Amino acid sequence: MEKTNFFNVADYILDRNIRQGRGHKTAIYTDKRCFTYNEIQEMANKTGNALRNLGLGIDDRLMMLMFDEPQFYTVFFGAAKIGAVPIPVNTMLTSDDYEYLLNDSRAKALAISEELVPLISNIKGDLPYLRDMIIFTEDEAQVPFKHKVNNASSMLKVEYTTKDDVGFWLYSSGSTGPPKGTVHSHYSPVCASENFANGVLKLTEDDICFSAARLFFAYGIGNGMFFPLSVGAAAVLNRGRPTPESIFNHLEHFRPTVFFGVPTLYGQMLEYKERQDKEKGVKPDPDGDHELSTVRICVSAGEALPEDIYYRWKERFGVDILDGIGSTEMLHVFVSNQPGDIKPGSTGKPVPGYELKIVDDEGYEVSSGEIGTLLVKGHSAAQHYWRNMEKTRSTMRGEWLNTGDKYYIDEDEEPRTLTLEPLRNKKVQLVKVNRV
């Protein structure tokens, strides 16, 4: 068979930067040191060879219970290069949750940050599929995997994969039942990056991205890994808890150009600064030098951004927040406000590369004022849910993905504007989406 359709997410997102001459450019900033693209590639290659030495190969699953640190990159890309399937999972769950995730995924290996090991040690049930646990300190892997990495070659033959091969999983939040393994292809991150990072944010290799959302989230792994590396930019990684104090410290120290947060955090950061301003008796100058003076745009997702927070943030720091919505199934944001076209309280327009429609129970598009279900179409969509055919069939309808949210359309406010209102326990949240 002629291997003409080769595509691997690690080769595209990471190795392509070296081929294009960015090997000596900084890829990651951390509290301890910076890492270049060359260094991340070498670490990923050695990690991939060490994983092969453990017996992992194509389609074998590797769960990642890791903080935001360079080793997250090297484990993810090292696994992807050998055709294995990395599965980043939430670091804030319980031992019972991890027992479920390990057994549901049938992961053969677990890469884990040292501080989180007790959560696995306290699992009371059996883990019949797990063979190896690879423990990482803040700087490196522990013995014996450390020796395997040290002795591994820095040259790695990338497994033959295609755009449609399974590249990685992300587990859904489990808000409507047990968490679901959401299976993404090698090409999903490329589509999400082209659509949002390029189509909306206009990222370039000169940008420095800082995401308060952790890498195990779909939102976070885009913000903090796929997006910056897709254009040869850099990312700031914060291994600790994303408190307002730590976030401001990182903003001040690393001077990023794009900041990604969530509405709750934006509110907490404003309160933190307002207390400081009051204690110091100063009136802040949004045009002066402050922690966000190098930030050209902020991004928010995860829940609707209140208008009040948008205006207070803009007044305090002089920087816009782009509010948007996304999902694990679509990998990132698919509806968003756009730079220069922001309507506070609105979720904005479909991100380039995505289409939306609202349908009734029979699948027909609804008329103005009628309640329907929001569907989205785009090439970053997941392939299916792991071992859940019924949910896959009800959610992934051909090219369209059923978000499960109920909306109605109101076209009275202005031409070519849809007003989408999710109906949730009598609390109505206004969302506007402009048709393009």
Side-chain angles (χ1 to χ4, degrees):
M1 180 180 69
E2 187 178 1
K3 298 181 177 180
T4 57
N5 298 319
F6 170 78
F7 185 87
N8 184 280
V9 63
D11 177 77
Y12 182 87
I13 297 288
L14 177 59
D15 293 352
R16 181 174 53 91
N17 284 290
I18 284 82
R19 292 194 295 269
Q20 293 179 351
R22 289 187 285 268
H24 295 289
K25 188 176 182 296
T26 297
I28 298 174
Y29 292 93
T30 75
D31 285 332
K32 290 197 167 184
R33 55 163 293 198
C34 303
F35 294 81
T36 67
Y37 277 93
N38 280 336
E39 289 175 312
I40 296 300
Q41 183 192 49
E42 180 178 351
M43 292 163 63
N45 286 350
K46 291 171 77 70
T47 300
N49 280 320
L51 292 172
R52 266 188 182 148
N53 187 262
L54 275 182
L56 292 183
I58 194 161
D59 291 333
D60 288 331
R61 292 175 285 282
L62 166 68
M63 188 158 286
M64 296 173 56
L65 182 55
M66 301 180 70
F67 294 129
D68 287 14
E69 51 198 350
Q71 289 83 2
F72 186 105
Y73 280 41
T74 59
V75 170
F76 187 98
F77 290 128
K81 284 189 173 193
I82 65 171
V85 180
I87 308 174
V89 295
N90 193 327
T91 59
M92 299 180 287
L93 303 180
T94 67
S95 295
D96 288 343
D97 294 323
Y98 295 126
E99 179 182 351
Y100 170 81
L101 295 174
L102 285 164
N103 288 335
D104 179 70
S105 66
R106 300 173 184 164
K108 290 184 177 179
L110 169 67
I112 183 170
S113 295
E114 182 180 28
E115 298 91 328
L116 301 173
V117 170
L119 290 168
I120 303 302
S121 301
N122 291 336
I123 290 176
K124 296 182 174 62
D126 293 330
L127 300 174
Y129 307 103
L130 184 65
R131 297 186 324 204
D132 297 285
M133 187 162 70
I134 306 163
I135 302 173
F136 287 87
T137 65
E138 191 169 352
D139 299 311
E140 60 186 358
Q142 286 188 355
V143 174
F145 193 73
K146 174 181 177 180
H147 293 325
K148 292 183 183 295
V149 172
N150 290 343
N151 295 326
S153 170
S154 60
M155 303 298 293
L156 174 60
K157 178 177 173 56
V158 181
E159 187 70 40
Y160 172 70
T161 54
T162 70
K163 292 180 178 180
D164 296 333
D165 271 295
V166 174
F168 62 101
W169 299 8
L170 295 170
Y171 268 89
S172 70
S173 63
S175 56
T176 56
K180 299 177 289 294
T182 307
V183 179
H184 279 279
S185 72
H186 276 266
Y187 201 60
S188 292
V190 179
C191 297
S193 298
E194 289 179 349
N195 293 347
F196 192 73
N198 180 50
V200 175
L201 301 181
K202 310 299 183 186
L203 288 186
T204 73
E205 64 178 273
D206 296 322
D207 277 306
I208 300 175
C209 299
F210 178 33
S211 175
R214 300 298 189 92
L215 290 171
F216 60 74
F217 289 119
Y219 180 51
I221 202 170
N223 306 338
M225 191 169 81
F226 295 142
F227 289 179
L229 268 61
S230 73
V231 296
V236 176
L237 296 185
N238 175 20
R239 195 176 189 273
R241 289 181 59 244
T243 63
E245 183 178 12
S246 71
I247 295 299
F248 278 119
N249 286 339
H250 279 72
L251 287 166
E252 186 172 25
H253 182 71
F254 295 106
R255 314 303 285 179
T257 59
V258 184
F259 175 64
F260 302 85
V262 296
T264 302
L265 178 63
Y266 282 116
Q268 292 171 346
M269 291 173 70
L270 280 167
E271 291 174 4
Y272 179 83
K273 274 297 168 187
E274 286 165 357
R275 285 197 303 270
Q276 282 192 338
D277 294 340
K278 186 175 181 180
E279 290 170 0
K280 295 177 181 177
V282 298
K283 181 175 177 58
D285 178 8
D287 297 322
D289 185 29
H290 52 75
E291 294 91 343
L292 281 91
S293 56
T294 61
V295 174
R296 62 180 180 84
I297 201 72
C298 294
V299 181
S300 181
E303 57 185 299
L305 181 74
E307 288 185 55
D308 174 62
I309 290 181
Y310 171 85
Y311 284 117
R312 286 165 58 201
W313 187 270
K314 176 76 171 179
E315 182 181 5
R316 177 61 177 78
F317 298 109
V319 185
D320 286 317
I321 302 176
L322 301 182
D323 187 25
I325 57 172
S327 69
T328 303
E329 290 81 0
M330 296 305 294
L331 190 55
H332 209 270
V333 171
F334 52 83
V335 181
S336 177
N337 281 272
Q338 316 275 325
D341 185 15
I342 296 174
K343 296 182 179 179
S346 162
T347 311
K349 297 179 179 179
V351 169
Y354 296 104
E355 296 179 40
L356 303 176
K357 65 179 179 180
I358 301 174
V359 301
D360 60 21
D361 292 340
E362 303 301 319
Y364 296 104
E365 291 196 54
V366 300
S367 301
S368 177
E370 294 183 9
I371 294 173
T373 302
L374 178 65
L375 271 60
V376 57
K377 179 170 73 172
H379 293 300
S380 66
Q383 295 182 358
H384 59 90
Y385 294 120
W386 168 247
R387 295 200 304 157
N388 198 331
M389 185 178 294
E390 181 179 353
K391 188 63 176 175
T392 297
R393 286 176 172 173
S394 65
T395 302
M396 301 169 188
R397 304 177 177 180
E399 293 183 298
W400 293 92
L401 186 134
N402 178 4
T403 67
D405 289 323
K406 295 294 183 181
Y407 290 80
Y408 70 85
I409 304 175
D410 179 358
E411 295 184 296
D412 294 333
E413 292 194 1
E414 58 185 272
R416 299 170 62 80
T417 296
L418 304 175
T419 300
L420 308 183
E421 299 186 5
L423 308 175
R424 291 176 180 156
N425 301 324
K426 298 182 180 179
K427 291 183 69 176
V428 178
Q429 172 186 309
L430 184 65
V431 182
K432 300 175 186 174
V433 179
N434 298 330
R435 179 175 285 150
V436 293

